Amino acid sequence: MAARVLDGNKIAADIRAEVACEVKVLTAAGMRPGLAVILVGNNPASEIYVRGKVKSCEELGIYSEKHTPPDTVSTEELLELVNDLNQRDEIDGILVQLPLPSQVDSKKVLMAVDPAKDVDGFHPVNVGFLSTQRPGLVPCTPAGIIEILKRSNIPIAGQEAVVVGRSDIVGKPTAMLLINSNATVTVCHSKTRDLPGVCRRADILVAAIGRAGMVARDFVRPGATVIDVGMNKISDRNEFDKFFKGNEKREQVFASKGSTLIGDVHPEVAEIAGAITPVPGGVGPLTIAMLMVNTVRAAKLRRGSRVPELAKA
Ligand code: NDP
């Protein structure tokens, strides 16, 4: 039987509607949440991501501002900008869009962001909060994965979860969140022995690898939930045919754009999984939605007891 498709667009829309309500309450109390985005240079992909984030703020009533230093910017200049944003009370979240140019010490810049305003959740202080289950800011994509599972009524506690990928941005924080939700978690990577065999143990399989369609049928226990985080662009016809030959909808996209997106999970897995996130339209939409959640959360954590009761839930 074909897998239940977990609609990330619908879940993200629900979360955004909830955020918009909270923003209204906070704004009425004179605490409008604010996000500052730093976009260095002219990287086209980064420009698209930042445009999406700023637009999302506008739609939900969150104040936003964009800083666009040139790609010749120095580490010191960026540190000065971050410090300035750290000091401003109306800014609750600071997001430094990656990658930064090679002359910039990215780690130093990210470390300079006040952990209370670190809406990406990458600062070691927030990583520590997550691993010790203290209130803090959690990375957006992993937080989105948990929202998909919870809002789709997929049980986590007591389940076997396997996460393929151990990056600081996706794999590790996802594993940590699953542990905190009482799953039994295995983390795999490029040195894992018998990857398909380990993955077949999973009730919940998370693929965060960055390899088009790598997770094939033999990685998946029939009925398992499969969360596909990968976003890989295919523009080669032969590769396209390998995954999507005869798929009319995909053919149309490929013909008009010259490329299509595929996750880390092979399309054939949808025939045996119990539930699966599509690419596009699965985990992706949650990432920006959770950035909005984090901005509001940062505002509430920073303002503590001044937050009106209605927005405290
Ligand atoms: P990284 O490249 O940082 O990490 C990839 C991980 O996959 C590494 O841990 C690596 O292992 C592991 N890996 C690579 N090849 C293999 C293999 N053959 N077998 C087993 N493990 C392997 O990627 P990210 O975590 O940043 O991103 C992963 C994917 O998720 C990408 O496609 C990215 O585009 C997508 N993504 C999607 C987002 C969204 O909003 N939907 C947000 C962020 C990322 P090792 O550590 O041993 O090298």
Side-chain angles (χ1 to χ4, degrees):
M1 209 170 73
R4 170 156 73 115
V5 176
L6 306 176
D7 184 350
N9 284 317
K10 160 86 173 68
I11 296 168
D14 291 347
I15 292 172
R16 290 157 62 92
E18 291 162 19
V19 170
C21 287
E22 284 198 275
V23 171
K24 230 181 197 170
V25 175
L26 287 166
T27 304
M31 300 176 197
R32 186 182 183 195
L35 176 68
V37 183
I38 302 176
L39 169 64
V40 177
N42 307 93
N43 178 327
S46 296
E47 280 174 3
I48 293 172
Y49 293 143
V50 166
R51 207 177 306 142
K53 290 166 185 175
V54 169
K55 185 165 161 258
S56 192
C57 284
E58 282 164 8
E59 286 165 0
L60 305 189
I62 294 172
Y63 168 75
S64 70
E65 61 184 41
K66 194 168 81 172
H67 297 264
T68 54
D71 56 12
T72 51
V73 72
S74 67
T75 303
E76 286 64 36
E77 286 165 325
L78 277 179
L79 288 176
E80 212 171 291
L81 174 57
V82 168
N83 284 335
D84 174 51
L85 295 169
N86 281 344
Q87 303 305 322
R88 285 174 51 199
D89 194 44
E90 75 279 22
I91 297 297
D92 296 291
I94 302 169
L95 188 145
V96 183
Q97 185 66 45
L98 299 175
L100 293 173
S102 55
Q103 80 278 6
V104 172
D105 184 340
S106 301
K107 279 200 176 142
K108 207 168 175 186
V109 173
L110 291 179
M111 282 289 281
V113 173
D114 179 347
K117 298 188 177 189
D118 166 41
V119 280
D120 261 336
F122 297 158
H123 195 288
V125 166
N126 282 313
V127 176
F129 285 157
L130 174 60
S131 76
T132 52
Q133 287 190 268
R134 290 181 168 86
L137 296 165
V138 175
C140 300
T141 304
I145 291 170
I146 300 298
E147 287 296 325
I148 292 178
L149 293 171
K150 289 195 169 154
R151 288 171 189 251
S152 305
N153 296 317
I154 291 167
I156 304 176
Q159 302 293 295
E160 287 278 345
V162 174
V163 180
V164 189
R166 57 173 163 180
S167 71
D168 293 340
I169 295 170
V170 188
K172 279 187 212 157
T174 301
M176 199 54 77
L177 285 169
L178 288 164
I179 292 172
N180 291 351
S181 291
N182 297 316
T184 302
V185 181
T186 305
V187 180
C188 302
H189 46 75
S190 63
K191 307 290 185 295
T192 297
R193 272 190 287 137
D194 183 21
L195 185 63
V198 177
C199 288
R200 274 198 305 275
R201 298 209 297 252
D203 300 305
I204 299 169
L205 176 61
V206 180
I209 313 162
R211 310 229 162 196
M214 194 185 100
V215 173
R217 185 189 284 267
D218 62 324
F219 285 57
V220 180
R221 190 178 54 69
T225 297
V226 179
I227 304 291
D228 189 356
V229 187
M231 291 220 287
N232 312 291
K233 199 169 162 182
I234 294 188
S235 42
D236 175 74
R237 179 76 222 186
N238 289 330
E239 212 186 351
F240 177 88
D241 285 345
K242 204 169 92 192
F243 296 114
F244 297 119
K245 200 172 171 59
N247 180 328
E248 253 177 57
K249 222 168 129 193
R250 290 288 186 162
E251 287 282 359
Q252 278 170 12
V253 174
F254 195 75
S256 69
K257 291 188 175 169
S259 66
T260 189
L261 267 190
I262 182 169
D264 292 336
V265 177
H266 196 293
E268 67 186 13
V269 168
E271 293 162 22
I272 60 159
I276 194 164
T277 58
V279 176
V283 174
L286 268 297
T287 299
I288 291 191
M290 297 314 289
L291 174 66
M292 301 296 108
V293 169
N294 269 356
T295 304
V296 170
R297 187 168 163 71
K300 294 199 297 192
L301 285 173
R302 272 195 334 116
R303 289 159 214 236
S305 59
R306 290 188 289 138
V307 172
E309 281 303 320
L310 263 174
K312 272 189 180 161

